[in-house]
Amino acid sequence: MIIGISGSFSSGKDTLAKHLNEVYGFMGVNTGDIVREIAQVERGSIERPVLQEVADELRHKYGGGVLVERALDRYHNSIRNYPGCSIVGLRSLGEAKAIKEQGGTLVFVDAPIEIRYERMIARARDDEKVITLEEFRQREEAELSSGSSDADFNLLEIEKLADVKLVNDTTAEAFLRQADSVLFS
């Protein structure tokens, strides 16, 4: 079973992936980790602008679904057997299409922006803890869609393609129960 996870900033994507990995024994692959590995080797940096540039170059050079293809290579070539794979961090339409082409389930996670902003502040990653709600909103809007090709960032179209849409506006436990109910019933 392949589950691709996309969604808005701080919506609970990583929480869902971790749950799938820990409770169901899935292999977890984060597309951002793949980009960070490549950026570190090629550019010696993993700052957000560098990561965005590297991801954009990869998608335009090798196709919009390249990061999902690399994630699935890791899954299929693993020496350990897993009952499934969670791939988190889908940002391009090509990545969403690659999940669906493999017979996978595409999940889109969202929550009201005020809740997501509070979660982002609480996790205190990098410079996130010092931005305002308005800056958070602007960053998100800038990354909703960068174009219409399969290689461009396009959360708006990914949401439309999603097989499952989850709203994470409650406790983590309730959110994960909702996900289990939809994905495994």
Side-chain angles (χ1 to χ4, degrees), residues 10 17-18 21 34 42 72 84 87 96 102 106 118 130 136 138:
S10 302
K18 182 178 177 185
N21 304 342
I34 295 170
E42 292 182 359
L72 288 172
I87 303 173
Q102 292 295 315
L106 180 61
E118 291 301 321
V130 297
F136 180 75
Q138 289 171 356

Side-chain angles (χ1 to χ4, degrees), residues 15 19 26 34 36 53 55 66 78 94 99 112-113 118 140 142-143 146 150 156 160 170 175 185:
T15 299
H19 175 73
F26 279 30
I34 295 170
R36 277 186 281 283
E53 189 176 285
V66 65
S78 174
I99 292 291
I113 194 164
E118 291 301 321
E140 182 169 77
E143 292 191 25
S146 65
D150 280 357
L156 299 172
K160 291 178 186 174
T170 185
F175 166 62
S185 293

Side-chain angles (χ1 to χ4, degrees), residues 62-95:
Y62 299 108
V66 65
L67 296 174
V68 166
E69 292 165 9
R70 290 186 181 198
L72 288 172
D73 283 346
R74 291 178 183 196
Y75 172 57
H76 294 303
N77 292 321
S78 174
I79 59 171
R80 183 170 161 214
N81 288 327
Y82 294 91
C85 181
S86 67
I87 303 173
V88 68
L90 309 180
R91 293 272 183 241
S92 76
L93 195 54
E95 291 164 352

Side-chain angles (χ1 to χ4, degrees), residues 15 19 119 168 170-178:
T15 299
H19 175 73
R119 289 178 185 153
N168 182 9
T170 185
T171 66
E173 295 78 18
F175 166 62
L176 296 173
R177 277 195 308 272
Q178 173 194 15

Side-chain angles (χ1 to χ4, degrees), residues 25-71:
F26 279 30
M27 176 181 189
V29 183
N30 185 317
T31 60
D33 290 343
I34 295 170
V35 174
R36 277 186 281 283
E37 291 167 11
I38 294 167
Q40 186 62 50
V41 169
E42 292 182 359
R43 309 280 173 85
S45 172
I46 56 168
E47 296 297 319
R48 189 166 184 87
V50 172
L51 296 175
Q52 289 171 328
E53 189 176 285
V54 168
D56 191 54
E57 288 172 5
L58 287 168
R59 290 181 184 113
H60 282 90
K61 184 173 182 179
Y62 299 108
V66 65
L67 296 174
V68 166
E69 292 165 9
R70 290 186 181 198

